[in-house]
Structures are given as structure tokens and as C-alpha cells.
Amino acid sequence: MNPTLCLFRQDPAHMGLVRAVLTCLAVGIVMRIAPDLGEDVRSLSGNDLPEGFGPFYLLFTAMAAVFVLSSNAWTRSSRLALGLPLPARRVWAVRTGSLVAVALLSIAVLASVMGLGFDLESRRLTMNVVVALTAARASATVMLLICLFQLPHSGRDRIPIGPPYVVYIIGASLLTLVFSSAQITSMAGTLVLLVVAISLGVYLYHRVPPTFSIGPTIEESETPVWSMPDERDFELPEPVGDQSLVDSEEDPTFALHWILFRALKSNILSWLLLGVLLASAWVATLEFFKGTNAFLPLFFLTIYQFPLLQAALESMTPFDPLPISRRMLWAHSVVPIIGSVVIGIGFALLTIVVNPRPYTQITYSECCVKAPWDYMELSSDGRVPTITASWGESYTPTAHPLWKGRTVALYDPFEVGAESSARFVEYQMHRAIEAVYGIQVPAALSSTNLESPPNIADGADQGAFTLEEPRGRMSADRNRTAAVALMLLALLTTVLILVSLLQFSSSVHRKAYKWASIGLTVLVVALAVAVSIARVLGFTEVWYLGALISMGIRSLAHSLPLPTSILWFFCVTFWAGAYLLLERVFCTIEFPREKTMNRFAEVY
Amino acid sequence: MSVLALHDIHRSFEPGIPVLDGVELRAEAGEVVGLLGRNGAGKTTLLHIAMGMLHQQQGTVEVFGLDPHREPVEVKKRIGFVSENQILPAFLKVRDVVELHRSVFPSWDNDMAARLVSRFGLRPGARIKTLSKGQARQVALLCAVCHRPELLLLDEPAGGLDALARREFLETSIQALSDSGTTIVFSSHYLSDVERLAGRAVMLHDSKVLIDNSLDELHESFSIALVPHRPQGTSEALLAMPECLGVRVRTDAVHAVFSLDPDDACALITNNLGVTDALCRTAGLEEMFIEIAGGER
């Protein structure tokens, strides 16, 4: 095989392509189908920062940058390639080309998922022009950043990272981003960036020496302004002198916990994922309170645990031979994950409490009444019962077939039509309040001005319910559903982590567990992709899935003959049990390690 | 009670491909055992099982009479361990690594650690990632010995060290600990080290223990026979004799290792095969290892 192709195949960026594609696919789907963001996509304009496409441009650039950085962007040549009879320029070109490839592919996947559409009339795929232009701008930006990252020390096999380099790279990145974020959809600006990136790439190519040096070169010892000492110390070690070996003042237990924490979270990717978990928990809690799309954030909450757990396992390998209990290592692995989720939930509760708008579970306005998805109903034959008020006015809610051409349909029993009278809207509103909060709305409120929701004062005078009352807390019904939903989440998380852990068991079938773990992940992503494609093609809507899950959980919650407090007790017990069960399995696993010493294993 | 007792250990990583197949190993208090075998023979796996870091699929492991899987912390507190692929957290400083070990080993000897740091010329403030491979190995060795373990398990401890550093380490740590009664089990490809330090050699071959004898026994009771190429002196015929441990066919002769002294080996060959001009002699550990490991069995 051609050595260039061989090098490309072995490049860490190439190895991370699948990961990049899957992640971008998942993120793109969320952006596409999330109610608010999706609306932004659909109502695109030529608008630039900040209301228009600026956030999407930043997302494209950030995602590409993450995958470039996680592909050893600072390494120009592997140690293996250094020993091969290949010109350094070719090695560098392959390395840089791989980084560019992973960046462009990430952006292409994101742009495709977010910008592709299907025109039912002409039966043709369409691409949103603004998305395409934004993707082009992001691609040019990332290409320029890749070249800028590599500008210093072009004679070295890897760029030594130190404070001066960090300062340089932050400054260069900020300047590039400021320049490139102006008029994002302007083609001319994109071309300028592209030309600069390519020119810099050509310049760097010509600066690459015949062979890379693994240490500082003679010229570099002149110390240019942005240079920094090499990570590897080439000098002979200094004598111990008066440097104390241990700090006798420090509490050894604290030192142990601190070192474990640093070790397990030393990877920047772990911090990023913890941030994603926190944000997912935040959004999921808010959505759950509103009774709408909580399941997508929960989905991400679940799948992002795996890379974190994997990173934790790898970080813990050095501690395995030490007399540190597995329980402590388990706690250090999962407490940051749990902590992120708890903080996310805390932020959500804080958001609810401090938000001037009441966080109700029923959206109320003159035109419509929107109850949580849990209260939708299913019709197996597609026929929807007509809602008739006591004075004879009626309305038949819209049927939403789960799949185009099928009779099984969802409908909202609290829906009102454009022609419905204000009195009927109020009637439906009261029915929704009764269903969701289990409280009869006093008759006095019937005369309330429907321009705004019933207010606190009116409700307080009557000693009854107002829409602002549930601010910061859930209805009794939702409280019950939440307990069951969390139990199901515990079950799902436990099964997934269990399969993930069992791939490190001592069983000879560990490979089967590994493939099961990969298979589960692929299945979940494939399901999300399939639903998304079906939605684009007009066969179904993603929110149907969320509504069905919500309805199922509520139905399950009501079928359990136990009081809510007991359900919460079981929920807490369930989570504690899951923690202990997984801890028990964790105590029996074998940490991942190389079976044999391979001198090429540390090439990057 | 043996300090280390591995009985009928079976372990494989893939179905049908055993790495260890019924391995037995015992080490008594104060004993120094050298573990030999080709790459992939299972030495590392065996030491990891002894540490409780890998689980045997069959058989029993006892360290100080305890099961390292049931009481891992208790067992590990009394063991010093250096792995062939020792990975120290790269972002830690030498001082941090020492601090970490001090926090988990109650018997940690600060003075000994300070002396070794000084002797190895390590900088306490240096980060692990800035150390050379040999220096990182020295840090790992230091951490393995400074809590004065009752059992020291070393997997290729001298790998990556130059001759001087290797000798230095072996003299300062292995010999010192051995003199104070620590049981030491170490694997090494430096057979001269095994001959110099170990009292007993255990050789793993084809997933089993092929040799488990004291070095004196190996020198006195094992021999190499150089059997000239004859129709009756084939490798198959030699291997058919239970005392023959391995055969390697060379251009000059067939080399066979026997668990007999030279005279008895020659007598056996003459009686069983009718070959009268075989040359039998004692052999060093390295020669024996090459003949067994490089030949067929």
C-alpha cells in the first residue's frame, strides 16, 4: 500500500473519525429537533450575530476544534514515522491533512443534519443556503486555526506546550474568531480566510526541515519570543539539595483524595463532558417541569456517562496496584458525574425560583391551552372524541397519526380551535388544570380576563389554585410521575453501565460485552437518526416519541398501587441499590491495560 | 504457610488460547524466585494474578494466607509491585507520587525514600512526564520498596535501566530487602541477574511451569546433550523420553535438555537410542533457557 495512505490510516485523527461523525450526528439531531433551536433553523434569515446564525457558526467551529484537539493537534509526526525513510514534509502533510479532514467531516455532518431538508412537492433534497455558507466559514476558520497552531517550532516533531505558547494560541484564536465571525454568511470573507489558511499551510510546508527533531534545534535555542522550554527535561537531574520530599504538614488522606481527583479528571475532555452532563441535567429538569421534551436531554445525560466512565477507568489503572479500595476508586469515578447532574438540577430549580415568569405546567393564552405531553391520549383507530362543553359548544382535537398513513394517532384532549369561543378556551383550561393539578378552579375565575392567566390574588382570595402557585414545585401528579421516571432512568443507566463494566470482567467472553456495549450505543444513535430522517421525510414527528414515553411513564405511575411518598422511597432506594450493585461489579473488574510492551504504543 | 501460593492457575484472554494452564507456584518467606519465560509466556499475567489485578479463571491464589481478590487492600499493603509497563500519572511530581504512596502505606519509610531519591539523583519537584524512562522506572522501584514490603513482585524491574542503574537498583533494593527477609518474585530477561540474585528459578513455557528448581539443582541435575544427527537420534525420539525437557535441532547436532546429570543423560541416550557418541555436559541458565525456549517440546 502507498506509504502516504498507510500513514493516513494510522493517524489518530483518522482513528477518531467514527467518534467525530457519531457525535456530530447526535448533536446535529438535537439542534435540528429541539423545539426552539429547530425553529431558528427553519426561520433562517441572512441575519448574522447574535440573533441569527452566529451560535451555529460557533457550534460548528467548536465541534471541529474539539475533534482536532483530541487528535493530538500539536504532534507533527509520530515517533514511528520519524524512523521511517519518508520525507518529513510528506509526514507533516499527511498529519495536517488528517486534522483538516476530521474538522471538515465534523462540520459537514453537522451542516448536513441541520441544513438538509426534503421538498415533498418536488421530491428533492434541499440544502439550506445559510447553513451551507456558515459551514464553509467555519471550515475556513478551523483550517486557519490548524495552521496557526503549528506555526511555532516548525522543526520539531511536536509543539512543546508552555505558558508562552498558550498565550500565543489564545491571542491568535481570538483574533481569528473575531475576524471570521463578522458577516458569517459573506462568501468573500470565507474566501479571504481560506486563502490565508492555504497560504499559511504552503508556507509551513516549505518550512518543514528534511527531518523532524525530537529535541530543540540549534536555531530554536536562540529562544524566539514565543518559545518555551521543552516538556522533556534534557538536563541531568539536579541534586535533591534542601527540597523536601514530603510535606509532613499535609494530611495524607486529603493528599490521597486530591491526587485521585486530579488523576481522574486530568483530561480536558472529561471536564467538557462533565459540562455537557451539567447542562443536560439543567435543561432536562426545566423541560420536565414544563412537561415537554425532557427525554432528549435525558438521552444525552445517559450516553455521555460512558466516555466519562471509560476515561475514569483508564485514569485509574496506575492506582490499581496500590492498596486503595475499589470503593474509593468507584466513588472518585462516579461522584463527579453524579455531582454534575445534581448541580445541573440545582441550577434548574434556581432558574425556576428566580424566573419572574411562573414556571407552570400548562401554557395558557387566548388561542390555546397546552398541557404536558403526559396528558395526551392515544386513539387506536384514528377517531378522536369530540369535547363538548355544558353549554353545547364542542371541538374535535386534531389527530396526529404516529406514522403517515397509519390510524393510530395521538391527540390532545385540551386542544382548542381557532374558532373556539373564549368561554370554551376557559373551559378547556379548567379541565387541564383539574387533570394536571387535581384542583377544581373556582367558578369566580370564570370571569377572568383571558388575556392573561388567572392571578395569584384572585386565587388566594378563593383559597384555591392559581397558575402561579406551582412555581418552583411540581403538581402532585407530576411528582408521582417524576419518581417513576427516575426509577426507570436508574434501571436504564444501571443496565448500560453494567454492560460497559462487564467488558472488563475476567470472563473470556469480555469481548462479547464490549461489542454489546458498542452495539447498544450504535442502536440508540441509529434510532435517533432514523426518527430524525423519518421526520425530515414527513412520516412522523420526533415529539410523538417523547409524548409516547411521557404517557407510558404516567400510565405506569398510576398503575402502581403505592402512595407517592413510597414511590419516592423506592426511587431513592433504587438509585442507592444501583450504585451499590455497580460498585460491586466494579470491585471485580480488571482495569484495561496493554497486554504486551509495544515500543510503538506511545508514538503519539 | 507460604507467603505466596498459586495453585492450578488457569487464565486465558480469548476462548481456547490459554495463557496459563494449571500453573503452580509457591514462594516461602525470604525466598528469592526468578521467573523466566519467553515473551508472552504468561509471566506478567501470573504476577498480576498474584497481585489480584487479574482474576484466575480456575485455581486458587493465596498471599500471606489471604485471597487477594477478597481482601485486596490488606494484601496490597504488604506487597511492593513494579510492573513491566508501569504507568505513573504523568502530571504528578515525584514528590506527589511519594506522597501518594506514603498516604496508602502505613509502613512507609520516609528516610529510605529520601535516601533513594538522592541516590538515584531524582528531583522531587520534577513531573513524571519530564523524566526519562529509566528515571520513571527508578521512581516506581522506589515506591515499591520504601514501605518495606513483605513480598516484592517485580515484573522486569530492570527493563529500561542502563547496566549501572540496574546493578545499583538490584544491590540497593532487592538485596537489601532480601537480607531483611522479604520474599521476592521477579521476572527478568537478564538471566545473569537471575543467576546472581535468585535462589530458585521458575520457567514458564507453553502456558505451564516447565522448570521449578533451585539454582543449585539446575546446575547439578540438569544437562545438555549434543546428539549427532543419526537416524535413531531424532528429535521425536529424544522428546519421547520423559526426562527430556526440550530439543533444538541445529546443524551440528540435536541439542536436548535433560533433567538428569550429564552422566545419567548420556547413559539414557545410549540405552534408549543406541547413540554412543552424544556429548553431555552441564549448562548455564542462559544456555538452558535458549535450548528450551528456542526448541520444541
Side-chain angles (χ1 to χ4, degrees), chain A residues 66-88:
Chain A
V66 164
F67 290 112
V68 167
L69 294 182
S70 63
S71 306
N72 294 296
W74 287 276
T75 304
R76 290 199 180 89
S77 167
S78 68
R79 292 291 161 95
L80 171 64
L82 275 178
L84 298 177
L86 290 171

Side-chain angles (χ1 to χ4, degrees), chain A residues 561-578:
Chain A
L562 295 168
T564 306
S565 56
I566 299 293
L567 284 181
W568 274 109
F569 171 76
F570 277 129
C571 178
V572 173
T573 311
F574 222 70
W575 276 102

Side-chain angles (χ1 to χ4, degrees), chain A residues 231 233 237-238 244-245 247 252 256 259 263 318-323 506 508 510 588 590 593 595 597, chain B residues 11-13 51 53-55 57 76-77 85 87 91 95-96 100-103 105 121 123 130-131 135:
Chain A
E231 281 181 6
D233 189 357
E238 295 166 12
S244 64
L245 190 56
D247 181 3
L256 172 62
I259 287 172
F319 303 102
D320 191 27
L322 297 179
S506 58
V508 290
R510 58 203 284 166
T588 64
E590 296 170 346
R593 59 171 55 80
K595 277 186 205 168
M597 187 71 166
Chain B
R11 173 73 209 214
S12 54
F13 292 99
M51 273 296 287
M53 290 160 60
L54 284 177
H55 295 235
Q57 283 146 349
K76 284 175 184 173
K77 273 183 181 168
N85 298 339
I87 309 162
F91 64 92
R95 183 188 292 118
D96 294 333
L100 170 70
H101 284 75
R102 188 173 77 102
S103 66
F105 288 108
R123 261 190 311 139
T130 68
L131 300 179
Q135 287 174 318

